[in-house]
Amino acid sequence: MATVQPELIAVGSNRTAHALDCSGAEAAYAAGTLVALFRPHEARVHAVLRGHTARVNSVRFAQQGRLLVSGAADGTARVWARDGDAWRAGAVLGGHGAPVVATATHEIEGGVATHDIDSAVVTCTAATDGCVRV
């Protein structure tokens, strides 16, 4: 009997401007309501992050790849933390009344900024211990 070895296992990406980010030898991309983590040198998706209830529009690595922020059409941003070779769910950031379309991080203060389709910007930092809608 012949054996079959998979050459590539992948998850399709959403078609949005901020749906992909890279850090070191890893790429994160939006895939439906999921975030897929891909290692190009291994040619495989090695993790899929679940938690958003609507399409993910934006992903952004932070802290030299130790954190990942995703923003979605459900009006939330989620912070994911690397735990060895795995990822765990962290904070869920709200404050938007519309789909989040972009995420950004501030390396020095450890902050996160998100932007929605209604032009609202929400910033969150550990220093303020919360989020502020701008």
Side-chain angles (χ1 to χ4, degrees):
M1 174 172 289
T3 58
V4 177
Q5 279 292 33
E7 291 291 322
L8 174 66
I9 298 173
V11 178
S13 177
N14 295 345
R15 294 188 303 174
T16 59
H18 304 283
L20 171 71
D21 195 27
C22 298
S23 177
E26 188 167 44
Y29 63 91
T33 61
L34 310 172
V35 175
L37 290 135
F38 181 79
R39 290 187 179 135
H41 65 283
E42 295 176 9
R44 70 181 185 98
V45 171
H46 70 91
V48 177
L49 309 179
R50 294 170 173 82
H52 286 289
T53 59
R55 185 180 82 168
V56 176
N57 294 317
S58 178
V59 295
R60 177 71 64 181
F61 280 105
Q63 296 182 5
Q64 295 149 357
R66 291 188 305 270
L67 293 179
L68 178 68
V69 180
S70 57
D74 59 10
T76 65
R78 290 181 171 267
V79 179
W80 310 88
R82 182 185 301 278
D83 186 8
D85 199 37
W87 288 86
R88 61 178 170 75
V92 178
L93 310 175
H96 288 283
V100 175
V101 294
T103 54
T105 60
H106 189 282
E107 294 292 327
I108 295 171
E109 294 183 17
V112 174
T114 56
H115 182 268
D116 68 29
I117 62 171
D118 287 341
S119 299
V121 174
V122 175
T123 61
C124 306
T125 64
T128 61
D129 196 29
C131 298
V132 176
R133 185 179 170 105
V134 180

